[in-house]
Amino acid sequence: MDTAPSALPSTSTPAQDARNRRKGATAAALASAVEWYDYFVFGIAAALVLGDLYFPAGSPSAGVLASFATFAVGFLARPFGGVIAGHLGDKRGRKPMLVLALTLMGVATTGIGLLPTYETIGMAAPVLLVTLRVMQGIAVGAQWGGAMLLATEYAPEGKRGIYGSFVQLGVPIGVVTANSVFLLAGAFTSESAFAAWGWRLPFLVGLLVLVLAWYIHKHVEETPEFRAAERALAEKEKKEKEERGQATEQGADKEAGKEAGKGKGGVGARNSPLRTILRGHLGTVFLAGGSFAVNTATFYILITGVLDYTTRELDMNRGAVLTVSLCVSLTQLVLIPASAALSDRIGRIRIYGLGAAGIALWAVPMFLLIDTGSLLWLAVGTFVASCFLSIMYGPQAALFAELFTPEMRYTGASLGYQIAAVLGGGLAPFVMVLLLETTGTSMSVAAYIIGLAVIALGSIKVLADRARSR
């Protein structure tokens, strides 16, 4: 499925085009990696320490639920970031919104690393924690669309999938880096020191995001597709004004008024990408979100829910479980670009659907293996699940970009992605703890994943039918 050209004619030299392409793809990948790192350190901390430090009342389960609820708040904020940055990104450019998102994430993550605990400032601590988590959610909601479009809109013809996968690689890189930093912090501190201050160190790394934001602002150009769309819309607007002027000169005041109204409608669509999406493309947005919710839900169950479940319920070693998560994430660095490259050859929908079907089929076996309490079977179960996630995640950036035209692409793709993040990722660890507490069996979590997979497969089928009809 490739409904839009990957590249547009350029007035620059081939060498300049290649240099700009490499610079844009590298900046997009780095932006995604550091942004997701900042976002994931909160999830790991939520599973390990935040419940005791910021929500100390009640049972251990209640503290974890409160911590995961704060984790979910970030996901609820993500659509707002996607809407705001999407609207402005379709009007003003991809790069400015990406820079703004990185800056906001750097400030929020560093703030969490410096935040006093409940014991020190009382109720102000969880309130401020939630506020900073909301800022993280807005930032990552704004970031994904900007980074994805910076990569895919620079892509040469026929390579949108592989270029989009550079941004997707930010997720496993972020997970690997976040897990590694937590492992190092735990290795060089005692249990008491880690709980007191060691957990803060991964958050303070967030300062590096501000350096990357400055680099992109100074050294990366706007995407060629956005510049071309801006020129085309400006020419259209100029032509409409000229036509209205000619009609007025001929004395056709009434007809000129009608044409002016039409012209304003076109310009209004240009000035309000969100209105265009809501009026004519909302169904596509929800189909995109429905198709991806199972991926993001399963992913966050693996990196946060399973971490809590194995350490708290199965009494497995925290460092060993983090190491397994790190190693599994490393395999995604190969699988994500491989599946994206394959989608450039045989189609996005086919690869994307294969991943969703695999997640559905593996949900039950995965939890049966995890429940053994064996590190080996934990690694096997999560590795196979990670393979299916990677198969689905690789082509997703290019697929979502191709669902919308350039003038509304940032808004539409971001909304679809962030709807999936709310329905899937944000609630998944919270739902997992609730299901385990109420049912006493991990099979209920497997059923939750299967239900989301069925929704995904239905959404993918509708998107495929629409693509064939076009």
Side-chain angles (χ1 to χ4, degrees):
M1 180 179 181
D2 198 344
T3 60
S6 292
L8 294 169
S10 173
T11 57
S12 58
T13 66
Q16 289 173 326
D17 286 341
R19 184 166 58 252
N20 288 336
R21 189 177 295 129
R22 287 194 300 270
K23 191 181 291 184
T26 301
L30 288 174
S32 178
V34 298
E35 190 95 346
W36 285 118
Y37 164 84
D38 281 10
Y39 200 67
F40 291 148
V41 292
F42 191 100
I44 297 173
L48 297 178
V49 296
L50 295 185
D52 292 334
L53 295 175
Y54 291 92
F55 309 96
S59 66
S61 295
V64 171
L65 281 172
S67 182
F68 279 158
T70 306
F71 178 70
V73 164
F75 286 83
L76 296 175
R78 281 171 60 168
F80 294 99
V83 168
I84 295 168
H87 179 75
L88 295 175
D90 283 329
K91 289 178 62 179
R92 307 298 181 190
R94 313 333 189 178
K95 188 182 83 169
M97 292 303 102
L98 180 57
V99 170
L100 180 61
L102 289 169
T103 303
L104 183 62
M105 179 62 86
V107 171
T109 305
T110 304
I112 294 172
L114 299 173
L115 185 64
T117 64
Y118 183 93
E119 184 179 1
T120 303
I121 60 173
M123 280 302 299
V127 170
L128 289 172
L129 182 66
V130 170
T131 301
L132 291 170
R133 181 58 179 170
V134 168
M135 289 174 60
Q136 279 193 320
I138 292 173
V140 82
Q143 173 272 146
W144 182 81
M148 179 269 291
L149 294 180
L150 195 64
T152 59
E153 290 187 347
Y154 261 118
E157 187 69 33
K159 293 187 177 180
R160 194 192 292 273
I162 187 65
Y163 269 70
S165 73
F166 296 155
V167 175
Q168 308 298 72
L169 285 175
V171 171
I173 291 172
V175 172
V176 168
T177 309
N179 278 313
S180 298
V181 174
F182 264 101
L183 281 170
L184 287 172
F188 288 101
T189 59
S190 63
E191 286 287 335
S192 59
F194 180 82
W197 56 268
W199 67 271
R200 297 180 182 275
L201 299 178
F203 286 92
L204 298 179
V205 178
L207 286 169
L208 297 177
V209 180
L210 301 177
V211 178
L212 180 61
W214 174 86
Y215 175 83
I216 292 175
H217 173 69
K218 287 290 186 181
H219 299 288
V220 177
E221 296 183 7
E222 187 54 78
T223 70
E225 281 198 37
F226 178 80
R227 295 197 303 268
E230 283 288 281
R231 289 194 298 269
L233 287 168
E235 290 172 2
K236 179 182 177 182
E237 189 174 336
K238 181 180 178 182
K239 183 178 179 180
E240 288 172 344
K241 287 181 179 179
E242 291 174 351
E243 290 175 352
R244 292 198 300 272
Q246 291 173 0
T248 302
E249 289 174 3
Q250 295 169 0
D253 294 336
K254 185 176 180 180
E255 290 301 316
K258 292 180 180 178
E259 290 299 314
K262 293 178 183 178
K264 287 177 182 177
V267 176
R270 173 180 182 267
N271 289 333
S272 183
L274 179 60
R275 186 185 303 127
T276 303
I277 290 290
L278 295 178
R279 287 181 175 178
H281 303 273
L282 195 57
T284 303
V285 168
F286 281 115
L287 286 170
S291 74
F292 194 62
V294 65
N295 187 287
T296 188
T298 306
F299 174 78
Y300 283 102
I301 283 173
L302 290 181
I303 68 165
T304 57
V306 168
L307 176 60
D308 167 65
Y309 177 58
T310 53
T311 56
R312 185 167 57 87
E313 298 290 343
L314 302 182
D315 201 27
M316 298 177 70
N317 179 267
R318 180 187 68 200
V321 174
L322 282 172
T323 301
V324 168
S325 178
L326 186 153
C327 293
V328 167
S329 296
L330 284 172
T331 64
Q332 294 183 310
L333 298 177
V334 176
L335 292 170
I336 287 175
S339 64
L342 189 59
S343 79
D344 282 330
R345 297 172 61 86
I346 68 175
R348 318 273 183 237
I349 289 288
R350 190 173 300 173
I351 301 299
Y352 195 64
L354 176 63
I359 292 171
L361 294 173
W362 187 246
V364 170
M366 177 180 71
F367 275 102
L368 290 175
L369 293 174
I370 291 172
D371 284 344
T372 63
S374 162
L375 276 176
L376 173 63
W377 292 121
L378 170 67
V380 172
T382 54
F383 168 72
V384 175
S386 180
C387 289
F388 290 123
L389 291 178
S390 300
I391 290 170
M392 194 177 182
Y393 198 55
Q396 182 254 341
L399 174 63
F400 277 29
E402 291 163 358
L403 293 175
F404 306 96
T405 54
E407 64 271 14
M408 58 179 171
R409 183 173 289 156
Y410 201 139
T411 304
S414 292
L415 268 178
Y417 187 94
Q418 304 312 333
I419 286 173
V422 172
L423 298 178
L427 296 175
F430 185 83
V431 169
M432 179 175 175
V433 174
L434 280 180
L435 289 173
L436 290 171
E437 287 292 312
T438 55
T439 67
T441 173
S442 62
M443 291 300 102
S444 59
V445 185
Y448 169 60
I449 293 174
I450 292 170
L452 290 175
V454 170
I455 294 172
L457 291 169
S459 300
I460 291 168
K461 184 179 186 306
V462 175
L463 289 173
D465 290 342
R466 287 186 175 186
R468 281 194 293 268
S469 67
R470 284 196 296 268

